[in-house]
Amino acid sequence: MIVALIIACEAAFWVLLAAGLAFRYVFRMPRLGLALLLCEPLLEVVLFTVTAIDLKNGAEPDWRHGLAAVYIGFTVGLGHSTVKWADARVAHRFAGGPPPVRPPKYGTARAVHEWKVAGRWVVAALVAMALLQAAVWYVGGDGDIGSLRAWQQRMLWVIGINVVIAGSYTLFPKERPAADPDPEAEREQAKMP
């Protein structure tokens, strides 16, 4: 039941996102679109509640309960940036908004971008680990918590991988090729009389 609910929450996330953006930009009903987008966190509340009730009713904690915690954590850490990403593209496509900002490719700006991305993944993993720890305490010493601990270890790997990736952009910044002009410098030159 938990896995089906996770799948339903994921599907509902994308349906609410599509509906919210459609009402906001295509149908020109921004308040209704915003209301639909603000319903997104309710999905996680439902999943959290059902998972807690399942454990309370004596279900043995297993990978499904861990997956629910990880899904909630990743939605908390990455959901907002996903909505912003989609919003920028739909606004550009259907509402005449500015083109979406592309991430920088080179140097310090790219390293800062990668650290921001890593920060979102770290938040997602930490929220998941906190929920997993809460489930461990909730179950207590009587239950088999090995699968929950295994998910916590996986989240440590997620943190480590993201820190290594961001750190690599800091330690080994990608340099701009001579053939690739700097768009900022070109804009500054265009402003000069």
Side-chain angles (χ1 to χ4, degrees), residues 66-140:
L67 182 62
V70 169
Y71 176 80
I72 292 169
F74 278 51
T75 303
V76 169
L78 303 170
H80 179 71
S81 62
T82 303
V83 171
K84 267 180 70 174
W85 177 87
D87 185 62
R89 278 142 185 83
V90 173
H92 174 64
R93 175 84 167 106
F94 295 105
V101 177
R102 293 180 183 262
K105 293 182 181 179
Y106 307 107
T108 304
R110 179 59 187 236
V112 168
H113 170 75
E114 291 298 329
W115 279 108
K116 288 178 181 178
V117 170
R120 288 191 288 271
W121 281 91
V122 168
V123 166
L126 290 175
V127 169
M129 288 176 69
L131 290 172
L132 289 162
Q133 187 59 44
V136 166
W137 291 334
Y138 190 63
V139 170

Side-chain angles (χ1 to χ4, degrees), residues 150-168:
W151 277 108
Q152 284 181 319
Q153 290 172 351
R154 290 182 189 114
M155 294 303 98
L156 288 173
W157 275 100
V158 168
I159 291 170
I161 289 168
N162 280 279
V163 167
V164 166
I165 291 170
S168 71

